[in-house]
Amino acid sequence: NASAGSYTVTVTGTGGCTATASVTVSASSGNSVAITTNKTIFCPGDTAQICAPTGHQSYLWNTGATTNCINATGAGNYYVTVTDNGTCTASSNTIAISVYQQPPVSISVNGDTLKAYNSVGYQWYFNNGLIGGANQDIYIAQQNGSYTVLVTDTNGCTALSNAVIVNVTGINDVVIGNELNVYPNPNAFGTWQLVVGSNLIGEEVELTDATGQLVWKSIINNQKSEIELNVAKGIYFLKISSGKNTVTKKLIRL
């Protein structure tokens, strides 16, 4: 194969007449062309961009694409043939693309407690709306409705679960006053923020474990306060009474 460049030939006939012809050979003539990619493995639903150098007359990928860059959406081997000057062709190297498996995702339901499994990241949704701060593997449903969870695995790939319908039962959750909230719940630190209506200031608050044993009690002095307890992992119940009304919240220490 000739190297790239311009070539000239002169021929001489029997009568001493001469003729000269020239041809330019492109860099791709008889040589390979290098293609590159921004990634060789990606998550389901993502793509990898694979490109050949610009400046060639035409491109034909093994996918049938005719641009100098393509977006690979699936696993496989990718290569291109470029053409210059109408007939001079060059074949590229082959790039192998892989796709991670979709993360498995499922939800188990135990009363008002939802649990997902085997991932490094979680985000819970209620009726398709994001629940702020709900990013643990366990979530306690606060309302009747549809719940899903988006999980993230060690490769950074995500998957959304099927929806589960939860009917919150078994917990006496009569709202006293205009506000009652305990967050983050569940949490791994044993520290909760308690927000109550103004009419609950001065009332007693108790925390019991799953066996009913009293773990902690105090008086509510402010509408917003912090509960910080060095308690073991498990399920606890926060109870506030006001007159004939009582509200109980299930708390989980991860």
Side-chain angles (χ1 to χ4, degrees):
N1 294 327
S3 300
S6 296
Y7 293 84
T8 302
V9 61
T10 301
V11 296
T12 303
T14 56
C17 296
T18 63
T20 300
S22 299
V23 65
T24 299
V25 178
S26 69
S28 65
S29 180
N31 297 321
S32 63
V33 58
I35 59 174
T36 58
T37 181
N38 62 341
K39 64 188 76 169
T40 57
I41 187 168
F42 53 81
C43 296
D46 198 0
T47 61
Q49 187 179 68
I50 308 174
C51 289
T54 59
H56 296 288
Q57 184 177 353
S58 65
Y59 302 83
L60 180 60
W61 294 84
N62 62 314
T63 63
T66 56
T67 53
N68 77 294
C69 290
I70 62 171
N71 290 319
T73 59
N77 295 319
Y78 295 85
Y79 55 89
V80 69
T81 299
V82 300
T83 301
D84 290 314
N85 298 323
T87 59
C88 298
T89 62
S91 298
S92 74
N93 54 306
T94 297
I95 289 181
I97 299 295
S98 301
V99 179
Y100 291 117
Q101 289 188 345
Q102 188 83 22
V105 55
S106 62
I107 302 173
S108 65
V109 182
N110 183 8
D112 60 354
T113 303
L114 311 177
K115 182 172 174 57
Y117 302 89
N118 302 323
S119 292
V120 298
Y122 304 88
Q123 177 58 62
W124 293 89
Y125 293 81
F126 173 66
N127 290 344
N128 297 321
L130 184 146
I131 305 173
N135 49 23
Q136 301 289 338
D137 59 335
I138 295 176
Y139 180 73
I140 300 173
Q142 305 296 315
Q143 305 176 66
N144 296 341
S146 173
Y147 290 84
T148 54
V149 64
L150 182 75
V151 300
T152 304
D153 67 10
T154 54
N155 297 316
C157 301
T158 60
L160 184 67
S161 73
N162 292 327
V164 296
I165 304 300
V166 177
N167 292 314
V168 180
T169 59
I171 299 296
N172 181 16
D173 197 9
V174 179
V175 176
I176 307 170
N178 56 9
E179 188 174 21
L180 176 61
N181 192 16
V182 186
Y183 65 92
N185 187 37
N187 77 70
F189 309 104
T191 301
W192 292 268
Q193 302 297 319
L194 174 64
V195 179
V196 300
S198 59
N199 64 315
L200 290 182
I201 294 177
E203 300 294 345
E204 187 174 77
V205 55
E206 296 181 347
L207 189 73
T208 58
D209 63 18
T211 68
Q213 183 176 353
L214 181 65
V215 174
W216 170 86
K217 69 177 180 178
S218 183
I219 300 297
I220 300 174
N221 294 314
N222 299 287
Q223 285 189 260
K224 183 175 181 180
S225 56
E226 184 175 88
I227 302 171
E228 184 174 0
L229 300 172
N230 183 21
V231 293
K233 296 179 180 180
I235 296 175
Y236 297 86
F237 296 94
L238 184 79
K239 185 172 77 171
I240 302 173
S241 298
S242 178
K244 296 181 179 180
N245 294 324
T246 298
V247 62
T248 303
K249 291 283 188 180
K250 180 193 287 185
L251 308 182
I252 292 182
R253 165 74 161 87
L254 299 174

